[in-house]
Amino acid sequence: MASKRKPYIRETRADWWKKNAHYRFYMLREGTAVFTIWVSLLFFILLVSPASFTRLTGNPLVIVINIAALAASILHSKTWFELTPRALTLAADKTANLTRLLWGAAIGFTILVLILSFI
Amino acid sequence: MTENGKMTLRIQRYNPEKDDEPHYEAYEIPWNAQTTLLDGLKYIKDNQDPDLSFRSSCRMAVCGSCGVMINGVPKLACKAFLRAYPLGASIEPMANFPVEKDLVVDLTDFLEYIQALKPYILGNARKPEDGPNRQTPEELARYYKFSLCINCGLCYAACPQFAMNAAFAGPGAVTLAHRYNLDSRDQGRSERLKLLNSKHGVWGCTFVGYCSEVCPTRVDPAAALQQCKAQSALHFAASVLDCAKNKEACHGEQT
């Protein structure tokens, strides 16, 4: 007897990520990369021409973008610190310690950079 | 048991002999605090529509047969209580797999990868006479979580990468391979890494992480995939070093 099979394949549309909160947050998390490009560009300008860097960072629009970039990088760090321990073969108790260690290192490094920039 | 009243389930139907595409049909069913979605589906099949097709077996979240989408979320029908959906629910077959009929999907892509990744102990020459092959609690703890997989496929229904590329090995099969890669009794890691490192292996994963959220046995397949990426990267680095050391052998392999 001939097969009556006719599997129906559902299409994945470009808006698949709008379907649930987890996917939307994933897109937000990955979207923080755009701000990383922006910050890299700023550093590049600082290296090439410090004078235009100073002029640029005084621009109100740039300040707004920089605040958004700061928020994006904090979100990126938070999710990264949560995901990193899972990527390592560690026991559960060590995982919690590693997350704390990463947060400590990030906060410590931020304070160090702030102190250095005011000297 | 007292009834809480009636609720409406909208179920996606597809008959390959009659339909060109799926459509929804609504069924009104009685429910109480103990009714699972699987009970509801069985009620419909017994009392309203004997043509309704769905898979099920153990009805206690052990066999992994009854995965469906409830309001777009992958779940086991036997583990989902209807009391969580007092306003009714929309039921679809597991996403990302081809639909055979109604709620039955074709799991071939997933099952073939399980087979290809050899999730069993390889390269261990011990014989039964040698007695039990002991492990320390730490050695067991490394892979125990990943050994709880029941092959239900919900992680594939949650995976947008698998949705876009059915050739991607996917969360479930990679987790099973990784479970054996981590086992101190196993020697098959480099054999499995060939496929895990390949075009359709672990690097197709972008750590969306929804697979771990929907897993009914809390296996955390997303973690297994990331750990596997680390192993894959180390394996690649080792093979490059090996090539640098042993040029003739490597060039011989390429040609």
Side-chain angles (χ1 to χ4, degrees):
Chain A
M1 196 181 77
S3 171
K4 302 278 173 112
R5 283 184 66 189
K6 194 176 75 181
Y8 182 81
I9 295 171
R10 289 161 288 179
E11 216 181 309
T12 304
R13 286 198 294 268
D15 67 345
W16 62 269
W17 58 274
K18 291 182 189 165
K19 271 191 264 177
N20 76 40
H22 194 103
Y23 292 155
R24 287 192 293 271
F25 186 74
Y26 162 75
M27 291 303 268
L28 183 71
R29 188 190 88 197
E30 297 297 299
T32 57
V34 175
F35 288 101
T36 311
I37 297 171
W38 162 255
V39 174
S40 311
L41 201 69
L42 275 186
F43 279 123
F44 181 72
I45 294 169
L46 174 67
L47 278 174
V48 176
S49 153
S52 35
F53 175 81
T54 319
R55 213 173 328 117
L56 195 64
T57 45
N59 186 318
L61 183 67
V62 173
I63 291 172
V64 171
I65 298 174
N66 280 347
I67 290 168
L70 177 68
S73 82
I74 290 171
L75 176 71
H76 184 91
S77 305
K78 183 186 178 288
T79 53
W80 199 81
F81 294 166
E82 283 164 2
L83 301 180
T84 304
R86 282 167 64 196
L88 304 168
T89 323
L90 286 175
D93 53 330
K94 286 182 186 149
T95 305
N97 282 339
L98 182 69
T99 311
R100 271 196 289 273
L101 189 78
L102 285 168
W103 270 117
I107 293 166
F109 186 73
T110 309
I111 292 170
L112 184 73
V113 169
L114 283 174
I115 291 170
L116 285 175
S117 61
F118 280 110
I119 290 174
Chain B
M1 285 197 289
T2 54
E3 269 186 25
N4 281 35
K6 304 264 186 182
M7 79 157 62
T8 304
L9 295 180
R10 286 180 73 245
I11 299 180
Q12 184 177 307
R13 303 295 307 270
Y14 173 67
N15 183 342
E17 291 186 50
K18 291 180 189 158
D19 304 331
D20 286 323
E21 56 181 38
H23 61 279
Y24 286 89
E25 275 175 40
Y27 300 92
E28 203 176 44
I29 58 158
W31 67 284
N32 63 36
Q34 282 81 43
T35 314
T36 63
L37 173 61
L38 184 59
D39 295 332
L41 294 175
K42 285 182 171 172
Y43 179 88
I44 295 167
K45 194 169 174 71
D46 290 346
N47 299 287
Q48 298 177 3
D49 195 339
D51 277 350
L52 179 68
S53 298
F54 54 89
R55 288 200 183 105
S56 77
S57 180
C58 77
R59 47 135 186 85
M60 53 175 89
V62 174
C63 75
S65 304
C66 64
V68 289
M69 307 295 283
I70 310 179
N71 292 343
V73 178
K75 280 179 190 286
L76 293 179
C78 67
K79 211 180 171 209
F81 285 93
L82 288 180
R83 61 179 183 243
Y85 310 92
L87 301 174
S90 162
I91 316 298
E92 290 163 17
M94 276 201 289
N96 309 338
F97 289 108
V99 183
E100 287 288 348
K101 185 177 186 290
D102 300 336
L103 301 176
V104 176
V105 294
D106 179 8
L107 292 165
T108 306
D109 287 327
F110 169 39
L111 300 177
E112 281 184 349
Y113 266 114
I114 292 184
Q115 211 171 358
L117 283 164
K118 302 184 179 171
Y120 38 84
I121 289 185
L122 294 172
N124 189 327
R126 285 178 75 92
K127 294 185 179 68
E129 304 82 272
D130 300 333
N133 196 346
R134 289 168 186 274
Q135 287 185 305
T136 64
E138 286 76 20
E139 283 169 338
L140 174 70
R142 289 178 75 203
Y143 68 81
Y144 179 70
K145 182 168 69 170
F146 302 134
S147 71
L148 300 175
C149 174
I150 57 171
N151 304 351
C152 63
L154 292 190
C155 50
Y156 284 75
C159 177
Q161 297 301 342
F162 180 67
M164 282 176 265
N165 172 22
F168 171 42
V174 172
T175 303
L176 282 169
H178 188 60
R179 173 250 175 275
Y180 283 93
N181 283 348
L182 290 178
D183 195 316
S184 59
R185 300 165 296 184
D186 179 83
Q187 302 295 326
R189 182 190 291 192
S190 51
E191 195 174 332
R192 290 187 201 99
L193 277 173
K194 276 181 212 152
L195 182 54
L196 293 171
N197 286 347
S198 72
K199 192 180 167 194
H200 301 303
V202 285
W203 299 97
C205 166
T206 56
F207 211 163
V208 176
Y210 195 40
C211 50
S212 296
E213 200 175 296
V214 304
C215 177
T217 52
R218 300 261 157 230
V219 167
D220 202 356
L225 272 139
Q226 307 327 303
Q227 293 177 14
C228 216
K229 282 181 193 170
Q231 278 188 354
S232 164
L234 285 174
H235 185 261
F236 173 73
S239 70
V240 170
L241 286 175
D242 204 37
C243 255
K245 251 194 279 174
N246 194 354
K247 269 184 190 163
E248 269 175 40
C250 265
H251 289 303
E253 236 172 68
Q254 279 166 9
T255 48

